[in-house]
Amino acid sequence: MRLLEKVKNLFRKPALPEAPKAAEEKPAARPRKACKKCGKMFSYDPSWEFIPNYCKDCKKQFTREKEEKQRAGAPRKVKRKCKECGKFFTFPNTIAHYPNYCPNCRKAHQAAMKAKYSRKPADKNGNGKGSKTDGNR
């Protein structure tokens, strides 16, 4: 066994000098702040341009309350800004789920997803596999 250990030591890479312990410690923890509404402590990224005042749960509750207020009362149109193109669009407040994208962006997104995840791959003519126009019967 001694001979084997000597051979291992011969081919072993030299040990690197140890770095100071201060450099190996955990990176600085994210700053924490108390939510203005519920008082729950939450962390945020110091590289953000702003410091949030509310936790994620309270923000979600605010959006739910806002939608409930919009739904209340007589049917009317709700105006929203599209997340993708930035244009404003309207929709009735009676629908179950309020959209985040305008109809044009929604159609384009659906078409892209349909093309990407279609079960039938498109042939050269743009027709699906097994269609009557490709001559296979």
Side-chain angles (χ1 to χ4, degrees), residues 28-36 39-46 48 51-55:
R30 289 179 133 190
R32 295 179 60 83
K33 185 175 179 179
C35 176
K36 281 190 173 181
K40 182 174 112 180
M41 295 297 288
F42 64 95
S43 60
Y44 62 92
D45 191 353
W48 292 345
I51 299 172
N53 291 320
Y54 300 101
C55 63

Side-chain angles (χ1 to χ4, degrees), residues 3-54:
L3 180 62
L4 185 60
E5 289 174 11
K6 287 181 181 179
V7 172
K8 282 183 183 178
N9 288 336
L10 182 67
F11 291 105
R12 185 173 291 156
K13 292 183 181 179
L16 297 173
E18 289 188 29
K21 291 282 184 179
E24 291 180 14
E25 290 180 13
K26 291 181 184 177
R30 289 179 133 190
R32 295 179 60 83
K33 185 175 179 179
C35 176
K36 281 190 173 181
K37 184 175 181 189
C38 66
K40 182 174 112 180
M41 295 297 288
F42 64 95
S43 60
Y44 62 92
D45 191 353
S47 65
W48 292 345
E49 294 178 5
F50 66 94
I51 299 172
N53 291 320
Y54 300 101

Side-chain angles (χ1 to χ4, degrees), residues 43-72:
S43 60
Y44 62 92
D45 191 353
S47 65
W48 292 345
E49 294 178 5
F50 66 94
I51 299 172
N53 291 320
Y54 300 101
C55 63
K56 286 183 181 181
D57 297 331
C58 290
K59 287 179 187 179
K60 286 180 184 178
Q61 185 178 359
F62 288 144
T63 56
R64 269 185 271 144
E65 289 173 359
K66 183 180 176 183
E67 283 191 8
E68 287 173 6
K69 286 179 185 177
Q70 288 178 338
R71 288 180 198 279

